[in-house]
Amino acid sequence: MSTDGEKVLVRVEGRLGRLTLNRPRAINALDHDMVTALREALSAWEHDDAVAAVLIDGAGERGLCAGGDIRAMAASARDRDGAAAAFWRDEYLLNEYISRYPKPYVAFMDGVVMGGGVGVSAHGSVRIVTERSTVGMPEATIGFVPDVGGTHLLSRAPGETGTHLALTAGSVGAGDAIALGLADHYVPSARLADLAGALARAAGAGDVAEAVGRYAGTAPAPTLTGERWIDACYSVGTAEEIVERLRGHGDPAAAAAADTILSKSPTSVKVTLEALRRARDLPGLAEVLEQEYRVSCAALDSPDFVEGVRAQIIDKDRHPKWVPDTLAGVDARDVARHFRPAPDGPLGLAGPGAPAAGGGR
């Protein structure tokens, strides 16, 4: 089986359903057709007794997935055609489905895994990083806010490490990805092909676990969880207070984090912080995705999203003109509007009639 110009390669090898994101020149960035193809394949395999497990990976040498097709999303925001909201609706529903998929869902998080790439991997049941992995949620750099369940994952990371990663739009390697709860196992990239072959022979969850254990190695030591300044600086109430504490702490890494935060969209920083704090109080991924959908739709009305994509992706001048351009200039009412109901209603993941919880994260 193949899909839409082979942007997703869908096939069965032995007892393993294989999904390969196949846009290597774009580091396998997701578009709406790809999200649809992934959902259709997973739905078919869920009830196929011949398929015991699923594996997702990315074509090429650069990474699993660099995120969603943000050029298209920014164009939709500019044209107000509704395409971005429609994409996010189906993408977030896919993320939630992955989290409760009844068969082992194995993700090879090799190379670049950003934004939407985290959404199709880090909610799975078996998440594998390598020495080449770079995992992160870079949305504040482009005037957006972490989504695809990113605020769920980061709000539950140890201490304030998730807050640090979100506000700086940073990325981490294998050791920190495991320590922060974004991944489970470390497997050297040279062993992935052999592991895939072993997974094709797996007859169930026990065989998958045995195969992963056979090829896994010791992950590099994490770095962020040992940085005590992170908890001390990010536990205060506002973004301005966080920056003040970072600058006054005395550690050069803390001062660098403050400078990084101040280079991001001030609106994105404040909305991200509020989204993370609210996510901590929500019961699970489904409720957080509902919140993220509201926030994402509201971001379409902010000039910073279109401007951020222009500066980082289109013109690549790396000098966005944020509106407003300071944290102090962001009105509390503008932050609050991001959490109002989405114009086309909720995703339907929480409340009466929502899918039954099970498995997942």
Side-chain angles (χ1 to χ4, degrees):
M1 178 175 13
S2 63
T3 62
D4 190 49
E6 304 294 328
K7 287 189 288 188
V8 179
L9 304 180
V10 183
R11 69 273 192 207
V12 176
E13 297 177 357
R15 301 206 63 195
L16 181 67
R18 294 205 59 173
L19 299 166
T20 299
L21 306 180
N22 191 37
R23 296 180 68 197
R25 293 181 63 183
I27 320 182
N28 304 313
L30 294 169
D31 64 19
H32 206 156
D33 290 336
M34 295 168 74
V35 167
T36 299
L38 292 172
R39 180 66 187 240
E40 288 177 351
L42 289 171
S43 296
W45 288 337
E46 179 179 355
H47 304 290
D48 186 346
D49 292 339
V51 175
V54 172
L55 168 64
I56 188 168
D57 61 5
E61 297 297 318
R62 299 168 69 190
L64 169 67
C65 176
D69 188 342
I70 57 174
R71 284 176 179 261
M73 299 303 101
S76 177
R78 185 182 60 246
D79 298 340
R80 297 183 176 275
D81 61 7
F87 168 75
W88 288 325
R89 176 176 286 275
D90 286 344
E91 184 184 26
Y92 301 172
L93 290 172
L94 172 66
N95 300 149
E96 192 275 338
Y97 181 45
I98 288 170
S99 78
R100 58 183 174 83
Y101 199 66
K103 298 179 180 181
Y105 181 99
V106 184
F108 283 178
M109 301 171 70
D110 187 34
V112 174
V113 185
M114 298 286 177
V118 173
V120 297
S121 60
H123 301 302
S125 54
V126 184
R127 308 166 299 171
I128 294 170
V129 283
T130 76
E131 77 284 356
R132 305 190 304 188
S133 295
T134 302
V135 185
M137 300 298 297
E139 285 76 10
T141 300
I142 58 167
F144 195 51
V145 179
D147 64 338
V148 299
T151 60
H152 171 78
L153 295 164
L154 295 178
S155 69
R156 286 153 174 79
E160 296 289 341
T161 52
T163 309
H164 168 69
L165 199 63
L167 297 191
T168 60
S171 59
V172 295
D176 279 307
I178 293 172
L180 269 62
L182 303 174
D184 305 301
H185 308 281
Y186 173 81
V187 175
S189 58
R191 298 182 184 177
L192 292 180
D194 289 340
L195 173 55
L199 293 173
R201 298 186 291 274
D207 293 336
V208 168
E210 187 277 330
V212 172
R214 190 162 12 114
Y215 288 96
T218 301
T223 58
L224 286 184
T225 51
E227 297 285 5
R228 295 186 177 180
W229 57 265
I230 291 179
D231 287 355
C233 294
Y234 286 93
S235 59
V236 291
T238 68
E240 290 93 334
E241 290 173 308
I242 288 171
V243 169
E244 183 179 358
R245 282 210 180 181
L246 288 168
R247 283 183 159 170
H249 185 274
D251 191 306
D259 290 341
T260 299
I261 291 171
L262 291 175
S263 73
K264 309 306 178 187
S265 158
T267 300
S268 293
V269 168
K270 286 204 166 183
V271 175
T272 295
L273 182 60
E274 180 68 14
L276 287 168
R277 299 275 167 83
R278 292 189 183 208
R280 285 178 178 170
D281 295 328
L282 293 173
L285 175 62
E287 291 80 6
V288 175
L289 285 166
E290 291 281 9
Q291 173 176 279
E292 289 181 350
Y293 185 63
R294 296 194 296 271
V295 171
S296 296
C297 289
L300 293 172
D301 293 327
S302 168
D304 282 3
F305 182 38
V306 173
E307 171 62 8
V309 174
R310 179 207 64 76
Q312 296 296 326
I313 305 299
I314 299 174
D315 296 339
K316 299 182 179 179
D317 59 32
R318 307 293 192 268
H319 291 292
K321 295 177 174 59
W322 306 124
V323 180
D325 60 359
T326 65
L327 291 172
V330 180
D331 192 288
R333 290 171 296 183
D334 192 40
V335 175
R337 76 169 179 84
H338 286 76
F339 298 89
R340 296 172 185 162
D344 61 345
L347 299 176
L349 292 175
R361 300 178 185 283

